[in-house]
């Protein structure tokens, strides 16, 4: 009748990542698995024991310690926990893989880790139904035997499916919307309902719930549209800024997926395109990369050995080499310029083609621990960009390199997507709309706390200030998982006013108040920028 399990962190982070997790001695709870027991009898905890759980997000930029941490394994347990917290007005923030740079899933008052609900429930036709804690990589593997895959991918595949859609994660491609657009059905556990509720596309609330930021209910099950599994031909090449600007319209039309990587203080833009293999109908196989791996890495290794002749670089990958180089002096402008030039040369030696399943080439190395901020803004239609994408980049780079001389780490990544029907998506807009996503980055290449603080101050100060200023005339909206707490009251007010204009916040908060009357699912960041639904006029 009862299942016993302990609070612990399981599968919270990919084992290969650097983020550390520490968990104190676990208290033990008992959850009733019987549907015949009244909700208020389904959760029993020994209040004499104290549990503390400390989590660090993947970026290494946010940590949280809580004494209220649940890790259910069934929908019934989620229902019981939500109802318990509702009665006691206990914060219960849904938490995915802790990959969000701003730790949007963290709340010191209480968290619900969804990793235990990771079943692939069924594959029917070209749709897959999964529990929200299933990782993207798990879903992709499960779809292989059905010759299916997901329509698009973000840069990494260790996100949980619930978190992936709730924050509006995206890939790249002018005709491809963010991942939330492909959801056909959701199952939510809300504080206002003792049992999970199912919401379909026909429901008028559906497009508010798909990017719900975890505020409308705990997503426990997702049904998503799939596409036939396919191989992509990836082409990586380096062009000048002039060519990147002049040919963006041509390349957006020509390629199914495309992203730019601008390398500050160089005239190099790395272009990565992906197209179905069928595009080469004559059967010809494009030329692969012509340089050996040793030759590709030579510019990075030469600079590293110049800086430290005794360094052991055996086995280092690209991201590790970049971290090792930057760590010598990550805020020194001249040093960062040298590192960026070496990176540009690495990419020139990495030009070429490769053919892989779509899920392998649409993921890429995001580097080590880092600060990152990404914004989204409209840039015309799927038929023709209106030039906002290139005007934004020119203005951003001008300020970085000339006006402010910011020690900007490489790359500045630019991607594109179609509009999302989700009302809270940064890419929400007309069905034929085109949006550009631009992300800046500052790596945290060492464990030196003083250095990390200095990088943080630079990034959250002058760098983000400039990005914010550039984005204003373009109506640039932050990615929800990368929006940090405003540093001043004036910035907070500006952000609140902008969000009220950009999103249907009154409608969203009214639904929050209905589904979560005691506001237990939000955290201080979301209450600050969105408002507390209990205070609606």
């Amino acid at each position: 009748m009862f299942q016993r399990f302990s609070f612990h962190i399981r599968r919270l982070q990919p084992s290969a990542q650097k983020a550390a997790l520490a968990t104190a001695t676990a208290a033990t709870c008992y959850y009733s698995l019987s549907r015949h027991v009244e909700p208020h009898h389904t959760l029993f905890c020994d209040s004499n024991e104290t549990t503390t759980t400390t989590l660090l997000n993947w970026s290494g930029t946010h940590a949280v310690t809580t004494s209220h941490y649940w890790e259910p394994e069934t929908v019934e347990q989620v229902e019981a926990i939500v109802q318990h917290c509702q009665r006691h007005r206990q914060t219960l923030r849904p938490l995915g893989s802790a990959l969000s740079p701003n730790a949007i899933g963290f709340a010191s008052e209480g968290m619900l880790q969804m990793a235990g609900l990771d079943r692939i429930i069924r594959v029917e036709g070209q749709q897959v139904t999964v529990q929200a804690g299933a990782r993207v990589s798990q879903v992709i593997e499960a779809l292989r035997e059905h010759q299916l895959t997901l329509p698009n991918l973000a840069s990494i595949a260790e996100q949980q499916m619930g978190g992936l859609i709730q924050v509006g994660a995206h890939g790249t491609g002018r005709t491809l919307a963010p991942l939330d657009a492909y959801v056909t059905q959701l199952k939510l556990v809300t504080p206002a309902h003792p049992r999970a509720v199912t919401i379909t596309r026909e429901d008028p609330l559906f497009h508010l719930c798909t990017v719900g930021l975890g505020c409308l209910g705990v997503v426990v099950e997702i049904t998503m549209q799939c596409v036939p599994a396919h191989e992509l031909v990836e082409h990586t090449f380096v062009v000048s800024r002039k060519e990147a600007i002049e040919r963006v319209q041509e390349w957006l039309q020509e390629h199914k997926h495309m992203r730019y990587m601008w390398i500050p203080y160089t005239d190099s833009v790395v272009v990565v395109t992906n197209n179905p293999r069928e595009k080469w109908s004559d059967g010809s196989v494009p030329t692969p990369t012509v340089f050996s791996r040793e030759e590709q890495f030579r510019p990075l290794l030469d600079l590293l050995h110049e800086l430290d002749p005794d360094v052991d670089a055996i086995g280092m990958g690209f991201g590790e080499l970049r971290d090792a180089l930057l760590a010598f002096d990550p805020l020194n402008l001249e040093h960062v310029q040298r590192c960026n030039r070496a990176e540009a040369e690495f990419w020139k030696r990495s030009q070429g083609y490769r053919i892989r399943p779509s899920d392998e080439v649409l993921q890429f190395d995001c580097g080590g621990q880092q600060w990152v901020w990404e914004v989204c803004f409209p840039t015309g239609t799927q038929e023709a960009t209106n030039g906002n994408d290139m005007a934004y980049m020119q203005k951003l780079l001008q300020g970085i390199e000339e006006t402010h001389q910011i020690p900007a780490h490489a790359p500045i990544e630019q991607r594109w997507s179609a509009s999302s029907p989700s009302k809270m998506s940064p890419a929400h807009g007309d069905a034929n709309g085109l949006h550009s996503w631009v992300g800046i980055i500052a790596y945290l290449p060492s464990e030196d706390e003083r250095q990390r603080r200095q990088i943080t101050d630079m990034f959250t100060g002058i760098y983000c200030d400039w990005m914010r200023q550039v984005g204003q005339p373009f109506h640039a909206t932050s990615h929800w998982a990368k929006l940090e707490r405003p540093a001043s009251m004036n910035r907070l007010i500006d952000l609140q006013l902008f969000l009220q204009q950009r999103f249907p916040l009154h409608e969203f908060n009214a639904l929050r108040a209905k589904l979560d009357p005691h506001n237990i699912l939000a955290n201080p960041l979301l209450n600050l920028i969105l408002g507390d639904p209990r205070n609606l006029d």
Side-chain angles (χ1 to χ4, degrees), residues 471-519:
Q472 286 175 350
F474 297 92
H475 305 289
T477 306
S478 178
H479 189 308
W480 287 114
K482 299 169 185 177
L483 177 60
E484 297 289 343
R485 184 186 183 97
S488 70
M489 182 59 68
N490 286 338
R491 287 184 188 163
L492 172 60
I493 293 171
D494 288 343
L495 176 61
Q496 290 172 332
L497 290 173
F498 173 76
L499 293 178
Q500 288 169 14
Q501 295 170 353
R502 178 65 180 82
F503 298 104
L505 283 194
H506 186 78
E507 183 183 7
F508 184 71
N509 283 334
L511 187 57
R512 287 173 67 192
K514 179 180 179 180
L515 299 180
D516 181 15
H518 297 311
N519 194 32

Side-chain angles (χ1 to χ4, degrees), residues 266-281:
T266 76
D267 189 32
S268 296
V269 182
V270 184
V271 185
V272 182
T273 66
N274 284 280
N275 292 288
R277 186 169 185 170
E278 291 74 24
K279 183 176 180 179
W280 283 265
S281 56

Side-chain angles (χ1 to χ4, degrees), residues 169-218:
H170 65 96
T172 190
R174 68 175 176 86
T175 63
L176 297 167
L179 279 301
D180 52 272
Y182 302 99
V183 175
T184 61
Q185 182 173 289
L186 285 176
K187 185 175 285 187
L188 293 174
V189 175
T190 74
H193 299 88
R195 295 289 179 257
V197 295
T198 298
I199 302 176
T200 66
R201 279 182 173 173
E202 290 70 36
D203 194 304
L205 302 179
F206 181 78
H207 291 306
L208 275 175
C209 294
T210 41
V211 179
L213 307 177
C215 292
L216 301 179
V218 179

